[in-house]
Amino acid sequence: MSYFLILSKSHGSRMLSRFQSLREDRRMCDIILEAEGKEFLAHRTLLACSSDYFWSMFQDHTLESGAHTVSLPALTSVGLEQVLDFIYTSWISLSPSTLEDTLEAACYLQITDAVDLCTEYISDSLSLDNCCFFANVAARYGLSEAVADTNRFIARNMSKLLGPNRERSGLLELNIESLQEVLATQEMPGVKETVLLQFALDWLGCNPLPALESNSLLSRVRFSLVPPDELIRLSAQKPALRTPFIHSLVQKALHYHTQGPLQPLVQSVHTSLRATTNRILLVGGGREADRPQTQIQSFDERSRKFHKLSITMPKKLQYQGICVVGNFLFVLGGEVVEVDAENEKTAVMTVSDQVWRYDPRFDRWEEMEPLLQKRAQFSCCVVNGVIYAIGGRGQRGEPALSSVERYDMKAGCWRSGVALPHAVHGQACATIRRGIYISGGIHSNQPESSKELLFLNTHDSDAWERRSAMSIARFGHQMATIKECIYAFLGMYEPFCDIERYDPAQDQWTRLKPLLHDCFCYGLTVTAGGRALMFGGRKWQDGQELCTPDVLEYDPEYDSWKKVCKLPGPLCGTQCAVMTISELIEK
């Protein structure tokens, strides 16, 4: 015998509608609920089915089971009316003025569906004007999801909440649990740590706490991101910063500021910017060859938007080396280009040995210990926190260099490294773990581009080793490491657009799908997803060099190229670095 199990979608709502009609007509009501002197007629059966509180109340053995009127002194009349309307209609009308009364009644009467709707209302209605109020309400009634949502909203919008023209009374009344979570947040765009510290001190001024709780709150401030003179000034003024525990944190921060060259190696959460998304920086470059600019642009891979940084490079450089250590940007050597003010076609190029370090925490440049030799068109890389400057050339017309130097950050100086077997400039460089690979370039003993690949194990080797040569001779090209393989991209004036991949395990090169057109003097970087991005560059068109604004993406999984967006304008000669920066320095 067969049968069908069929659900009626209208039966439940129709039954509730009938109950509501009976309540409105005051028919068959067998209980009166009273709050603040106001009475509400209801039906025991429906109340018991909707609430664990009423289910227990109306059991046969309770006093309330036979009572005609039940008083609920813990509830407001507004809250009780709101909850009864929900029981009878499944609808609830919420506003900031009725939220607390409704939550109090729903929690007291154990009507979880109504509590869930209050949670949803808080999460969906957050604004700058109500977020602190909602955070306090959610914390008071233990609404964990709403608490998490409000805390995230406050952290994400803290720069606006702390704005100079906003009333801070809501923030100063924020509950301590939410404030602690906000101060511990990694993502807080557009907020200077000095402002955050001052706000925490102001909050403590309005909400005095025992030393233990005050220490717990202030320990979430990243004191190393506060300028030292400001730390010293506030410590002298605010007793909360002079407790033994917080004083020790302040002293550690002040010591960090004295570390100088060592700072990139002693990074921690206390020295890290409150940002979780890296930006691709386009350092230098210009609209035409030999005319570099000092601009630095940032690129957001997700939104594909470009921004100019508020700070520029110290000098107009080309063929420089750049690298990132401890979220500091290092700019090494290169050619300083000085254009004649009266005749822009005339420029003087001077090879430099200067080293500059940019700190995005305080948006400033600092000149570091210079290179041992002046270098341009050289290789620059980082292995285990050590910066390597490899080969290159001196002034134009001078022979190439075979020397290698490494920056000892602990000593704050450059030291000689393992020299190359021959002088070379215009080569490309990539690293895998502790190994350095350089390819191509022009050797001092030959006028043409090279196919050679050299390898140095920085851990235990005292000489460069020759590995399988590329299939194409290249100069002025770039390499990138993606998933333990090295990709060699186009160089200067190559008559074809092929790229190739090197597998160190097999010591073998493989030709890949060529680029759509020739390209050189571009910026190149690898995304977190393992794709290569190529920014701008120059190409040949109708017998002339043309600077392009195109941004191309190479997907190694499918061996495919595509154009993803355009730069704000044509750009060539830029170099790429991946860093965490503050939105405060983006225009």
Side-chain angles (χ1 to χ4, degrees):
M1 184 177 69
S2 63
Y3 64 91
F4 294 94
L5 181 62
I6 304 175
L7 173 69
S8 171
K9 295 182 179 179
S10 61
H11 173 71
S13 59
R14 185 162 52 244
M15 184 181 67
L16 276 183
S17 178
R18 290 288 179 88
F19 265 110
Q20 175 67 352
S21 297
L22 290 172
R23 185 169 74 125
E24 290 173 349
D25 295 340
R26 306 174 72 87
R27 295 175 59 195
M28 300 184 187
C29 297
D30 53 1
I31 188 69
I32 297 174
L33 303 179
E34 185 270 329
E36 294 184 327
K38 190 173 181 179
E39 296 182 342
F40 302 89
L41 292 172
H43 301 84
R44 293 173 189 266
T45 303
L46 184 58
L47 293 180
C49 291
S50 304
S51 159
D52 289 343
Y53 178 88
F54 286 124
W55 176 268
S56 299
M57 175 183 284
F58 297 142
Q59 296 296 318
D60 293 339
H61 60 273
T62 64
L63 293 175
E64 292 85 356
S65 62
H68 181 64
T69 301
V70 173
S71 179
L72 298 169
L75 306 183
T76 65
S77 58
V78 172
L80 180 56
E81 183 177 15
Q82 286 275 95
V83 167
L84 285 175
D85 286 344
F86 172 73
I87 289 175
Y88 277 86
T89 66
S90 297
W91 289 87
I92 193 166
S93 175
L94 294 171
S95 68
S97 61
T98 62
L99 177 63
E100 283 196 88
D101 289 329
T102 305
L103 264 173
E104 184 179 47
C107 291
Y108 186 84
L109 300 176
Q110 301 173 43
I111 304 175
T112 56
D113 289 340
V115 174
D116 291 343
L117 289 179
C118 291
T119 299
E120 187 176 336
Y121 166 71
I122 290 174
S123 298
D124 292 345
S125 306
L126 289 169
S127 70
L128 295 178
D129 295 326
N130 64 27
C131 57
C132 294
F133 166 72
F134 280 161
N136 291 339
V137 172
R140 190 174 303 126
Y141 291 97
L143 309 181
S144 57
E145 290 185 16
V147 166
D149 289 340
T150 54
N151 291 349
R152 277 193 296 268
F153 182 91
I154 292 170
R156 193 166 57 245
N157 293 278
M158 185 61 85
S159 62
K160 298 175 184 176
L161 293 168
L162 291 174
N165 300 320
R166 282 200 64 85
E167 173 63 45
R168 296 191 180 184
S169 58
L171 270 177
L172 293 173
E173 294 171 359
L174 187 63
N175 67 88
I176 184 173
E177 291 81 9
S178 289
L179 182 55
Q180 286 179 328
E181 286 299 314
V182 169
L183 291 179
T185 303
Q186 174 62 23
E187 187 80 26
M188 196 180 294
V191 181
K192 291 184 176 180
E193 203 72 18
T194 304
V195 175
L196 205 59
L197 172 57
Q198 185 62 64
F199 162 65
L201 293 170
D202 291 344
W203 188 94
L204 286 171
C206 298
N207 306 271
L209 295 176
L212 190 62
E213 293 182 45
S214 174
N215 289 346
S216 177
L217 181 70
L218 288 174
S219 67
R220 289 162 167 77
V221 175
R222 302 181 179 187
F223 293 106
S224 297
L225 300 183
V226 179
D229 54 346
E230 195 70 14
L231 269 181
I232 295 171
R233 182 185 69 83
L234 288 173
S235 295
Q237 295 176 353
K238 303 294 184 179
L241 295 178
R242 296 198 295 271
T243 63
F245 177 63
I246 297 302
H247 177 71
S248 69
L249 295 182
V250 171
Q251 291 304 307
K252 286 180 181 178
L254 292 174
H255 179 65
Y256 168 78
H257 288 295
T258 67
Q259 295 287 81
L262 195 60
Q263 284 179 332
L265 300 183
V266 293
Q267 291 299 300
S268 68
V269 66
H270 302 290
T271 63
S272 302
L273 288 168
R274 293 181 182 269
T276 57
T277 304
N278 286 331
R279 294 282 195 269
I280 297 170
L281 298 191
L282 308 182
V283 183
R287 301 176 68 93
E288 54 184 308
D290 294 332
R291 293 298 183 271
Q293 302 300 311
T294 57
Q295 68 182 3
I296 301 178
Q297 300 180 70
S298 69
F299 177 66
D300 185 342
E301 184 188 351
R302 293 181 298 182
S303 66
R304 294 181 179 174
K305 290 183 178 180
F306 292 89
H307 298 275
K308 285 186 178 180
L309 266 60
S310 58
I311 199 168
T312 58
M313 292 176 62
K315 294 185 177 181
K316 293 182 179 180
L317 290 170
Q318 62 182 10
Y319 306 127
Q320 71 275 16
I322 70 167
C323 61
V324 176
V325 184
N327 208 47
F328 287 83
L329 173 67
F330 288 81
V331 178
L332 298 75
E335 277 187 340
V336 179
V337 179
E338 297 179 354
V339 180
D340 192 317
E342 297 181 358
N343 183 4
E344 293 185 357
K345 293 184 178 180
T346 303
V348 177
M349 285 79 163
T350 307
V351 177
S352 171
D353 60 358
Q354 286 183 302
V355 177
W356 296 89
R357 189 183 77 177
Y358 172 66
D359 185 356
R361 300 154 191 79
F362 301 100
D363 195 26
R364 69 186 180 205
W365 288 99
E366 181 180 0
E367 189 170 2
M368 309 301 289
E369 186 72 16
L371 294 162
L372 299 176
Q373 290 182 277
K374 296 179 178 182
R375 298 176 189 270
Q377 289 184 296
F378 63 102
S379 295
C380 175
C381 64
V382 179
V383 178
N384 279 6
V386 177
I387 301 175
Y388 288 80
I390 303 167
R393 61 169 174 80
Q395 299 291 359
R396 296 196 181 193
E398 293 182 0
L401 303 171
S402 62
S403 61
V404 174
E405 47 188 300
R406 52 197 301 274
Y407 186 52
D408 185 340
M409 292 191 188
K410 294 182 179 179
C413 65
W414 291 88
R415 303 180 187 276
S416 296
V418 179
L420 296 165
H422 46 68
V424 64
H425 74 282
Q427 72 275 19
C429 178
T431 64
I432 297 179
R433 295 184 296 277
R434 294 190 175 187
I436 301 176
Y437 296 82
I438 67 169
S439 68
I442 293 179
H443 299 176
S444 57
N445 57 358
Q446 61 183 47
E448 297 180 349
S449 302
S450 169
K451 299 180 180 180
E452 187 178 57
L453 177 69
L454 295 175
F455 168 74
L456 176 70
N457 185 332
T458 61
H459 179 57
D460 57 10
S461 179
D462 57 1
W464 291 83
E465 305 171 15
R466 283 184 170 82
R467 297 291 174 89
S468 293
M470 298 181 292
S471 62
I472 301 168
R474 301 180 189 268
F475 165 78
H477 58 301
Q478 295 200 52
M479 296 200 302
T481 302
I482 304 176
K483 295 181 179 179
E484 300 294 306
C485 286
I486 295 175
Y487 291 73
F489 296 91
L490 307 186
M492 298 275 288
Y493 310 124
E494 292 185 10
F496 29 69
C497 303
D498 292 85
I499 64 173
E500 48 191 321
R501 179 184 66 233
Y502 176 71
D503 182 349
Q506 303 295 325
D507 190 26
Q508 182 177 336
W509 289 92
T510 304
R511 287 277 193 104
L512 302 172
K513 187 175 183 179
L515 192 61
L516 303 176
H517 53 73
D518 66 309
C519 191
F520 53 95
C521 294
Y522 48 84
L524 182 74
T525 191
V526 177
T527 69
R531 298 184 180 188
L533 286 178
M534 186 179 288
F535 295 89
R538 303 204 303 274
K539 63 180 180 179
W540 286 97
Q541 184 171 310
D542 300 328
Q544 293 183 332
E545 285 187 17
L546 176 69
C547 188
T548 174
D550 294 340
V551 179
L552 306 179
E553 180 185 76
Y554 175 70
D555 186 342
E557 184 176 354
Y558 296 99
D559 189 21
S560 63
W561 288 92
K562 69 176 180 180
K563 187 184 297 183
V564 293
C565 62
K566 287 184 177 291
L567 288 149
L571 183 67
C572 64
T574 191
Q575 296 196 43
C576 297
V578 179
M579 291 181 64
T580 302
I581 61 172
S582 168
E583 291 186 356
L584 289 167
I585 65 176
E586 291 182 316
K587 294 182 180 179

